Amino acid sequence: MLLNPNMRELLSERFALDDEFAGAVIGGLSRPQKTLPCRFFYDARGSELFEEITRLPEYYPTRTETTILSAHAQEMVEHLPPAGVMLEFGSGSSLKTEILLDQLAHLTAYVMIDVSQTALLGAQARLARQRPALDVRAIVGDFSRPVQLPEDLRARPKMGFFPGSTIGNLTPSEAIRLLRIFRAALAPAGHLIIGADLKKDARRLVLAYNDAAGVTAAFNLNLLARINRELGGDFDLAAFRHEAIYNPRHGRIEMHLVSLRQQSVTIRGQRFSFRPGETIHTENSYKYSIEQFRELARSADWLPRRVWTDAAHMFSVHELVAS
Ligand code: SAH
Ligand code: AVI
């Protein structure tokens, strides 16, 4: 859906999203290992909490990737002509985008896709104020569905931007599928700049997802609050605690919500029981070595070209071109 003031369109999209949310929650909580898809973290409150996470001392990915982008922005965008389009997936606040846009003074169009309507509205308002000559289009939607670009932009040269290591929130097979979808969206001459968090000491990783101020815990628990708000659920938030662990076999951080007691929860007339200690798996955050990530890209028929990293090798930014 293109964001516009047509309320009827907004409302029908809202109902479609509600049904999808309800289906995903009821399906996920019915499994032996209860699970909830992490894309539902990002309602208005969740998007706000994510922005708070990006400023935490323990959460190194945002400031590290920002440093890498600032050092190499010119090289990252040098192939994109002024008539080109920058297309960003999971754009959130679009703050990192500005680093690239600063090198693209004559660029005419920027398209951002995100499930969070509030994040898109905030970014759109700021960019409109700061860059009035830039045509900014916001698409509220799931980037893992085939992306339909606005008709007038389809034939233009395109560059994709997917920062934040959001790719790490998908399993490797889902990530390959997503990279193929991006390839189709950016065709014929695909070019993608994508951020991926690097493998590192597990203690450092666990701290980044267990911050002392409890913001990541609030972000995780907000998913239950969202189910209560939007689906009339009756989760007792005080009866669950946040947990983030490193799973070395899969090379991923896993976030869970742990039930503190025997309890049951009712959502849309369906009852779900929890044993003490039973968890809802809410997020994976895969960490890749540079070579592992390049191999993943090759599996999706992308050709990995340049890669940029920081001095401490905490985070990587890859340039992929359609092979
Ligand atoms: N790119 C920003 C934000 C990363 S947070 C940064 O690097 O800081 C992840 C963003 O992706 C959020 O804004 C979230 O709303 C969005 N998102 C997560 N899953 C999505 C999906 N399936 N489709 C579209 N957007 C998604
Ligand atoms: C958006 N995504 C890459 C973040 C991550 O690090 O996996 C989401 C997040 N979850 C907890 N903290 C941040």
Side-chain angles (χ1 to χ4, degrees):
M1 176 191 66
L2 265 178
L3 208 56
N4 66 31
N6 180 335
M7 277 315 287
R8 204 155 24 161
E9 201 178 328
L10 278 175
L11 283 175
S12 64
E13 177 78 8
R14 167 56 52 87
F15 286 131
L17 288 175
D18 270 1
D19 286 350
E20 200 202 327
F21 185 35
V25 167
I26 288 172
L29 295 182
S30 304
R31 295 191 189 178
Q33 167 61 72
K34 293 180 171 65
T35 175
L36 291 169
C38 65
R39 69 178 182 283
F40 294 112
F41 277 139
Y42 302 93
D43 64 351
R45 180 70 188 133
S47 294
E48 250 172 45
L49 285 166
F50 177 75
E51 287 310 309
E52 256 187 73
I53 289 175
T54 65
R55 294 188 288 269
L56 290 169
E58 297 93 336
Y59 194 74
Y60 62 85
T62 305
R63 60 173 177 278
T64 312
E65 187 180 31
T66 299
T67 307
I68 300 170
L69 294 173
S70 302
H72 302 284
Q74 220 282 315
E75 298 156 69
M76 292 176 186
V77 302
E78 63 197 5
H79 61 277
L80 190 66
V85 180
M86 164 114 75
L87 177 54
E88 181 169 354
F89 307 98
S91 48
S93 62
S94 293
L95 286 171
K96 292 171 188 164
T97 326
E98 296 209 17
I99 302 168
L100 300 189
L101 291 175
D102 283 345
Q103 302 295 326
L104 289 164
H106 302 293
L107 190 79
T108 50
Y110 166 56
V111 180
M112 49 195 181
I113 303 173
D114 203 290
V115 282
S116 171
Q117 186 170 309
T118 51
L120 287 171
L121 286 169
Q124 199 170 35
R126 191 186 72 247
L127 290 168
R129 252 191 339 267
Q130 292 174 354
R131 298 170 198 264
L134 186 67
D135 177 5
V136 179
R137 316 261 183 112
I139 301 178
V140 186
D142 185 342
F143 53 50
S144 59
R145 308 253 164 81
V147 180
Q148 249 320 4
L149 269 191
E151 173 97 52
D152 57 317
L153 303 180
R154 267 177 226 163
R156 305 240 214 126
K158 296 173 221 59
M159 170 188 154
F161 186 41
F162 192 37
S165 200
T166 303
I167 189 87
N169 296 136
L170 284 78
T171 62
S173 61
E174 289 166 347
I176 291 168
R177 198 178 149 264
L178 186 68
L179 288 174
R180 288 186 197 278
I181 287 174
F182 289 178
R183 209 168 158 265
L186 298 167
H191 203 118
L192 182 63
I193 297 291
I194 179 167
D197 196 12
L198 289 172
K199 279 212 158 72
K200 60 184 63 64
D201 178 61
R203 276 165 308 182
R204 183 75 198 250
L205 286 172
V206 168
L207 279 177
Y209 293 82
N210 276 301
D211 63 281
V215 184
T216 312
F219 176 69
N220 200 2
L221 283 159
N222 178 57
L223 195 46
L224 304 186
R226 180 177 185 184
I227 294 172
N228 287 351
R229 273 193 303 268
E230 295 184 22
L231 305 178
D234 61 358
F235 273 108
D236 173 4
L237 268 60
F240 288 85
R241 73 172 167 80
H242 163 73
E243 181 178 80
I245 52 165
Y246 185 65
N247 179 330
R249 192 160 66 88
H250 290 288
R252 69 189 190 199
I253 285 280
E254 293 179 6
M255 292 211 314
H256 293 259
L257 289 163
V258 186
S259 174
L260 296 176
R261 54 175 161 81
Q262 178 72 42
Q263 56 184 315
S264 65
V265 173
T266 305
I267 303 160
R268 297 243 165 130
Q270 294 221 37
R271 197 157 168 269
F272 301 96
S273 300
F274 292 83
R275 298 182 305 278
E278 184 176 356
T279 77
I280 310 174
H281 184 177
T282 51
E283 189 184 61
N284 287 319
S285 199
Y286 282 80
K287 310 299 166 185
Y288 292 100
S289 69
I290 286 178
E291 200 34 56
Q292 274 176 333
F293 192 80
R294 288 166 69 88
E295 194 46 46
L296 185 90
R298 284 188 204 102
S299 306
D301 295 327
W302 283 95
L303 202 63
R305 274 217 187 131
R306 289 174 288 183
V307 56
W308 299 274
T309 182
D310 53 298
H313 291 277
M314 302 284 275
F315 198 93
S316 61
V317 179
H318 296 253
E319 176 186 47
L320 308 181
V321 295
S323 60

